[in-house]
Amino acid sequence: MFRSVFFAAGLAFLIASLGRLIPHPANVTPLTSLAIFTPLLFNRRIALGIVLCSLLVSDLCLSYILHISWFGSWSLFTYSGLLGIVCLTSTDISKSPLLSLLKLMLCSTFGYWIWTNFGTWLLSSLYQPHSLASLSQCYVAGLPFLRNALAGNAVYMLLFSVIIWRVAPGVLIKPR
């Protein structure tokens, strides 16, 4: 059983890392889904490590490929948002796994969008002066990214669910 769970987590890590490297619409990456699934498979410390490693590896590769900074002030909000999802994911989904995963995906997507848009408003010069009106403008401007994230997260949640249920069938639905 451990071997199949390890394989499923490794495959999810690979998909999450590569999902940021291949061309994709804005905010359509598998990282939110990875942040939801890893605490279901592992303890929090290991789940945090998997998500953090996936972020670091893909950021370093993107930095090398695109010749951009690999870590900036925005990273605080990106990393803490995804690591926060890991910490807040409830591991008791045995009663209604599909509904639980849907709720986790929706709450995580909206929470991450709220958090990272706040970071954009706070750290960038795009929304000056810092006021409630400019914060509102930031969130309105971020709506297309939210739409993309919802669509991408739904697809990746389905993909990860199939992988995990196929590779490690009793992990997410535990017998009573």
Side-chain angles (χ1 to χ4, degrees):
M1 176 62 125
F2 173 76
R3 203 174 202 182
S4 59
V5 171
F6 184 75
F7 177 76
L11 190 55
F13 167 80
L14 186 63
I15 291 168
S17 297
L18 291 176
R20 291 186 75 206
L21 299 176
I22 60 173
H24 59 275
N27 283 30
V28 179
T29 68
L31 281 168
T32 301
S33 299
L34 181 73
I36 291 170
F37 275 108
T38 52
L40 301 176
L41 297 169
F42 299 101
N43 68 43
R44 294 244 193 268
R45 190 179 318 173
I46 293 172
L48 287 166
I50 291 170
V51 171
L52 185 60
C53 286
S54 180
L55 277 165
L56 289 171
V57 166
S58 57
D59 275 350
L60 286 171
C61 290
L62 285 170
S63 172
Y64 179 76
I65 293 167
L66 301 175
H67 307 289
I68 57 173
S69 172
W70 75 273
F71 198 85
S73 57
W74 70 89
S75 301
L76 169 68
F77 287 88
T78 303
Y79 281 51
S80 64
L82 288 165
L83 295 175
I85 292 169
V86 172
C87 292
L88 296 173
T89 295
S90 169
T91 57
D92 182 24
I93 66 166
S94 58
K95 293 177 185 155
S96 179
L98 293 178
L99 185 59
S100 296
L101 287 174
L102 179 62
K103 285 180 189 175
L104 284 168
M105 188 271 295
L106 290 172
C107 290
S108 296
T109 302
F110 281 103
Y112 183 77
W113 176 76
I114 289 168
W115 179 243
T116 55
N117 273 297
F118 175 74
T120 299
W121 172 79
L122 185 66
L123 299 174
S124 78
S125 60
L126 293 173
Y127 303 100
Q128 296 294 331
H130 285 132
S131 64
L132 217 45
S134 65
L135 181 60
S136 298
Q137 289 174 341
C138 181
Y139 283 114
V140 169
L143 287 174
F145 298 101
L146 175 62
R147 179 199 61 220
N148 289 358
L150 283 167
N153 291 342
V155 169
Y156 282 114
M157 288 293 289
L158 180 61
L159 177 64
F160 285 175
S161 294
V162 168
I163 289 171
I164 291 169
W165 276 315
R166 183 78 175 122
V167 173
V171 170
L172 297 180
I173 302 177
K174 296 178 177 50
R176 293 177 186 245

